[in-house]
Amino acid sequence: MQPNKKTLMGSFSIFISILFISASASAQNDNKTNITVHLDSMSVLINANIYGQFSEHLGSCIYGGIWVGEDSPIPNTRGIRNDVIEALKKLKVPVLRWPGGCFADEYHWKDGIGPREKRPKMVNTNWGGVVEDNSFGTHEFLDLCELIGAEPYISANLGSGTVQEFADWIQYTTSNGDNPMANLRRQNGREKPWEVKYWGIGNESWGCGGRMRPEYYADLMRRYSTFAKNYSDNQIYKIAVGPNVDDTTWTRVVMQNGGNAFHGMALHYYTNNSRPAADFAEAGWFDVIKKTLRMEELIGMHSVIMDQYDPGKKIALIVDEWGTWHNVEPGTNPSFLYQQNTLRDALVAASNFNIFHKHADRVRMTNIAQMVNVLQAMILTNDEKMLLTPTFYVFEMFQKHQDAIHLPMEISAPDYRYQGEAIPAVNASASIDSKGLIHVSLANVDPNQAQKVSIAVRDFKNKIVRASLLTADKMNAMNTFDHPGQVVPTVFSEYKISGGILETTLPSKSVVMFELEGKIDSKIGAARKIDHPKPQLKYAYYQGVFMNLPDFADMQILREGLVGQFVMPPDHGGSDFAVKYSGYIKIPVDGFYNFYANSDDGARIYINDKLVVNNDGRHAPIEVKGFAVLNAGFHKIEAEFFQAGGGLAFDISIEGPGLEKQIIPAGMLFHSND
Ligand code: AHR
């Protein structure tokens, strides 16, 4: 089957066909892939940060790839390449990690601020011994983040820096006060602080970051963490160094000894391949895909340990370095890690994302290594030329999964066999977004055989299908500066509906994204019958000193009563208390409803016993969104809130068909004594 070659180049919705599916399928394996997607168990958000990236002072990632300087003939904005900015904006990069990598543990940030001509130089000992002139520093990085709309993630120097340097960096970037670092920032031309939520406490401290034992690292991390202060409204999210590949001892020791000192733990796993990036045969294809699929096993083994210490999954597993690591391109500096990027890399990216989505309850950020010109890059540059890699296009096609709700699926796929070894030929994942659109992403990793696939989405009547495809004739097809359009997404139209099931044939070595628009079965958002609904919600009031929402079942209620809306109960005392609200919400018409919890400190919303919004943790006012499919009528609603001192804020809003975003009015809230 030949794919339609009409180029998508960024737009997803060119082809539309009208179809009707009433889905139901069995997942028997008749030499085709059978997929059943379940709408009734949707719950976990695919954090947009799973689509994060990483940029290090390494080779030509920063210098040449991103930063060319204000005087460069290459069009730029305050020194940052315009072509790169425009390309990255298309990916909606949610978060960007910097300045390393191994570089981070020899980086002294104060060398990278102030007038550029006065900045001291250093030697980049990790990456080729080149001279780093520090012309790209904190201001330039945060400017880049603002230009592309990404949240910054700064990896701090634990290996050769000091706690004071770390604390100063946070004060410099995030404080609005009258203090030495904020004043230094103002002197350097930036009046307002930035928001820098994500801070890494070291990088690979088991290796280039200091060759520490996990016991020593855990203690040191606790110490650094203590001096990571929140200024103004900036609430720091601390990311501890996690395991190298399958080092479960590291995971266990840091989880056990790390106290409450961190919010996320970073796993590093590369698809290592000591072969060329573009010149390979099937052995190289198979080996790289097989190694990539190991990500699932690794996430599983570290999650099991994290679950033992953190069953509530408060600590995220953050895969902040992943991707292919091939041999460098012949003739390039071996320390610069410059590699081409082929269709095989696209399959690696797609397969990793399908794995990350499946584990979205624990994996809440990942950062591919790296953004430009290094390892599995989105973008390659050569002086004024720039190209977008096959990996870039996977990020573009898959961005529909960002902040959507993961939909569990059953999948049975035939094997792709090579020289006595086998891996599943097809991998996939699915999500539903706040407009009710379902996205199913698929990777056929078999380089020889097209794969028949049936997709049944239970409880869903499909009306419109849109699809895009990334493939090429050769396994090692790639984009080059002379031929930048060899591997680009195209409209995909090779599918039909048969017996209510979407039947398709994925070309060999391809990535496909389906977008399904239709009607969800009424049982998914089923309302309940309430015999004697009365206005107002019930509340229960508790006291205690909390870092996070407590387990209310284990606590003693101090007071109970009724409130008209989600507001503070009377005589709440101002600090160190928690409230649990319960009742029913009356929904006017069937549809998708967004719920927003704006709180200081933590809050959660449950609808019909499912967690819909999680805004837990000690923090300044932050609004977090979630959504639910609800039919007209009554639905159980519960909310939890805690206050730990400092500012206090709490409100819950709703938005839905014919309902502009508003604080849930008293007229929609009820309780029952039956
Ligand atoms: O991404 C290249 C390097 O790989 C990073 O600097 C380091 O953290 C890892 O070993």
Side-chain angles (χ1 to χ4, degrees):
M1 191 176 296
Q2 283 307 304
N4 179 338
K5 282 285 176 189
K6 188 172 175 189
T7 300
L8 264 180
M9 297 296 284
S11 157
F12 182 66
S13 51
I14 293 174
F15 183 87
I16 296 179
S17 74
I18 308 290
L19 301 160
F20 295 89
I21 302 178
S22 77
S24 106
S26 65
Q28 320 125 5
N29 194 339
D30 43 11
N31 212 24
K32 78 176 193 197
T33 298
N34 289 301
I35 293 176
T36 307
V37 177
H38 295 276
L39 268 169
D40 56 353
S41 39
M42 60 168 121
S43 67
V44 177
L45 194 83
I46 296 176
N47 196 313
N49 286 344
I50 283 179
Y51 287 81
Q53 300 193 26
F54 171 37
S55 57
E56 180 169 11
H57 288 239
L58 193 179
S60 51
C61 179
I62 300 291
Y63 297 109
I66 293 169
W67 177 257
V68 287
E70 285 152 345
D71 299 332
S72 168
I74 298 174
N76 66 80
T77 303
R78 297 183 289 280
I80 299 168
R81 294 179 73 123
N82 288 346
D83 51 358
V84 170
I85 294 171
E86 286 317 308
L88 291 171
K89 275 180 20 194
K90 289 193 189 135
L91 295 189
K92 297 197 170 70
V93 182
V95 60
L96 179 59
R97 180 171 182 251
W98 172 87
C102 296
F103 179 78
D105 278 300
E106 60 179 16
Y107 182 62
H108 299 281
W109 69 271
K110 284 183 186 158
D111 294 346
I113 56 170
R116 282 191 205 104
E117 63 285 0
K118 292 198 179 142
R119 296 184 191 175
K121 295 186 171 49
M122 66 179 278
V123 175
N124 188 336
T125 62
N126 285 289
W127 306 115
V130 295
V131 173
E132 160 70 58
D133 71 1
N134 278 308
S135 50
F136 189 89
T138 300
H139 289 247
E140 291 79 11
F141 169 65
L142 293 170
D143 194 18
L144 167 67
C145 289
E146 286 183 340
L147 286 168
I148 63 172
E151 277 205 70
Y153 166 11
I154 294 183
S155 216
N157 181 347
L158 190 85
S160 68
T162 63
V163 178
Q164 186 67 54
E165 268 181 280
F166 177 50
D168 282 353
W169 206 358
I170 294 172
Q171 190 179 73
Y172 185 89
T173 48
T174 65
S175 168
N176 205 12
D178 181 8
N179 55 51
M181 290 301 115
N183 289 335
L184 181 60
R185 182 194 69 236
R186 292 185 187 105
Q187 215 176 299
N188 286 331
R190 173 82 184 198
E191 178 57 36
K192 277 190 323 180
W194 292 276
E195 259 181 48
V196 188
K197 178 174 174 184
Y198 300 107
W199 290 84
I201 307 187
N203 169 75
E204 297 194 352
S205 302
W206 35 260
C208 66
R211 297 184 60 204
M212 300 173 199
R213 293 174 310 118
E215 292 81 1
Y216 177 72
Y217 172 76
D219 284 349
L220 199 56
M221 183 269 293
R222 290 168 70 132
R223 179 168 163 235
Y224 271 67
S225 168
T226 309
F227 296 93
K229 305 286 182 188
N230 292 329
Y231 292 99
S232 317
D233 285 346
N234 191 69
Q235 298 292 311
I236 291 181
Y237 185 100
K238 299 164 198 165
I239 300 171
V241 170
N244 181 26
V245 191
D246 55 2
D247 182 357
T248 48
T249 304
W250 184 279
T251 306
R252 183 175 299 285
V253 173
V254 175
M255 287 301 291
Q256 200 166 33
N257 299 353
N260 282 324
F262 63 107
H263 304 96
M265 173 185 268
L267 162 68
H268 285 188
Y269 175 57
Y270 283 96
T271 301
N272 277 318
N273 172 41
S274 44
R275 293 185 176 94
D279 184 10
F280 59 88
E282 191 171 349
W285 173 280
F286 183 86
D287 184 50
V288 161
I289 303 293
K290 189 181 84 176
K291 284 178 178 156
T292 295
L293 298 181
R294 194 170 175 223
M295 182 65 87
E296 171 119 48
E297 177 200 335
L298 295 173
I299 291 173
M301 69 170 71
H302 294 298
S303 296
V304 165
I305 295 169
M306 293 177 82
D307 286 349
Q308 287 165 16
Y309 296 93
D310 172 34
K313 299 190 193 296
K314 289 183 182 129
I315 297 174
L317 184 61
I318 291 176
V319 190
D320 68 11
E321 289 189 27
W322 66 272
T324 49
W325 192 315
H326 307 299
N327 283 351
V328 298
E329 290 307 305
T332 66
N333 187 328
S335 298
F336 286 5
L337 310 186
Y338 177 80
Q339 62 188 41
Q340 245 297 359
N341 194 292
T342 68
L343 182 61
R344 180 177 62 174
D345 295 87
L347 270 295
V348 166
S351 302
N352 270 309
F353 282 132
N354 286 336
I355 294 168
F356 297 148
H357 298 161
K358 193 167 155 191
H359 296 276
D361 57 342
R362 184 65 88 177
V363 178
R364 300 201 278 272
M365 185 197 294
T366 86
N367 308 78
I368 191 170
Q370 299 193 3
M371 194 155 80
V372 188
N373 288 336
V374 170
L375 299 175
Q376 191 176 346
M378 314 300 108
I379 293 173
L380 299 179
T381 65
N382 183 3
D383 296 331
E384 78 292 351
K385 291 186 187 158
M386 181 195 81
L387 67 81
L388 305 177
T389 66
T391 298
F392 175 97
Y393 290 114
V394 172
F395 272 67
E396 190 180 50
M397 288 163 74
F398 278 40
Q399 65 179 262
K400 306 282 180 152
H401 286 302
Q402 289 191 16
D403 276 340
I405 301 224
H406 174 249
L407 296 176
M409 66 166 56
E410 281 143 27
I411 174 166
S412 64
D415 287 339
Y416 156 41
R417 295 185 171 277
Y418 181 75
Q419 294 196 339
E421 289 190 89
I423 54 177
V426 175
N427 62 70
S429 65
S431 69
I432 183 165
D433 70 14
S434 60
K435 296 190 198 94
L437 296 173
I438 292 176
H439 294 101
V440 184
S441 48
L442 301 122
N444 175 9
V445 300
D446 188 327
N448 308 310
Q449 304 289 328
Q451 295 290 334
K452 288 190 178 148
V453 179
S454 10
I455 305 171
V457 183
R458 286 202 187 277
D459 309 312
F460 185 70
K461 274 211 172 64
N462 213 46
K463 287 190 177 158
I464 297 174
V465 177
R466 306 176 187 94
S468 61
L469 165 74
L470 191 70
T471 192
D473 292 341
K474 293 192 180 140
M475 284 185 291
N476 62 347
M478 65 187 130
N479 296 328
T480 63
F481 294 107
D482 293 335
H483 302 285
Q486 304 279 92
V487 190
V488 292
T490 58
V491 171
F492 184 55
S493 51
E494 304 302 330
Y495 55 85
K496 62 182 169 49
I497 302 299
S498 169
I501 294 168
L502 177 63
E503 303 277 2
T504 182
T505 302
L506 306 179
S508 62
K509 50 186 173 348
S510 68
V511 177
V512 169
M513 178 67 141
F514 281 108
E515 181 172 272
L516 313 177
E517 190 177 332
K519 190 164 171 20
I520 295 174
D521 192 291
S522 59
K523 82 170 198 226
I524 294 296
R528 55 182 77 202
K529 195 169 166 327
I530 308 297
D531 282 336
H532 301 102
K534 298 189 170 97
Q536 297 186 297
L537 295 164
K538 290 182 179 172
Y539 77 84
Y541 174 86
Y542 308 79
Q543 276 179 347
V545 177
F546 308 109
M547 292 298 292
N548 288 98
L549 282 163
D551 188 346
F552 286 88
D554 295 345
M555 292 187 36
Q556 202 194 338
I557 299 174
L558 293 184
R559 235 181 8 254
E560 290 176 285
L562 295 172
V563 278
Q565 286 170 278
F566 291 101
V567 291
M568 283 306 108
D571 305 325
H572 54 73
S575 67
D576 299 328
F577 68 91
V579 188
K580 181 162 179 158
Y581 303 82
S582 53
Y584 298 92
I585 182 164
K586 193 170 178 198
I587 291 295
V589 290
D590 296 2
F592 259 80
Y593 288 85
N594 291 316
F595 289 88
Y596 302 82
N598 172 44
S599 67
D600 169 359
D601 292 280
R604 283 199 193 112
I605 307 173
Y606 297 83
I607 309 278
N608 296 330
D609 299 316
K610 275 190 190 155
L611 179 63
V612 171
V613 178
N614 190 352
N615 193 5
D616 196 7
R618 262 185 151 165
H619 53 70
I622 309 176
E623 188 171 79
V624 174
K625 177 181 171 184
F627 57 88
V629 181
L630 300 173
N631 294 345
F634 287 100
H635 296 266
K636 191 172 167 191
I637 185 165
E638 289 166 305
E640 300 168 343
F641 170 76
F642 83 94
Q643 162 64 357
L648 190 162
F650 181 56
D651 53 69
I652 294 186
S653 301
I654 187 169
E655 180 181 36
L659 204 60
E660 277 186 13
K661 184 182 170 191
Q662 57 192 278
I663 288 179
I664 303 181
M668 290 179 82
L669 297 170
F670 298 84
H671 71 282
S672 163
N673 293 325
D674 294 341

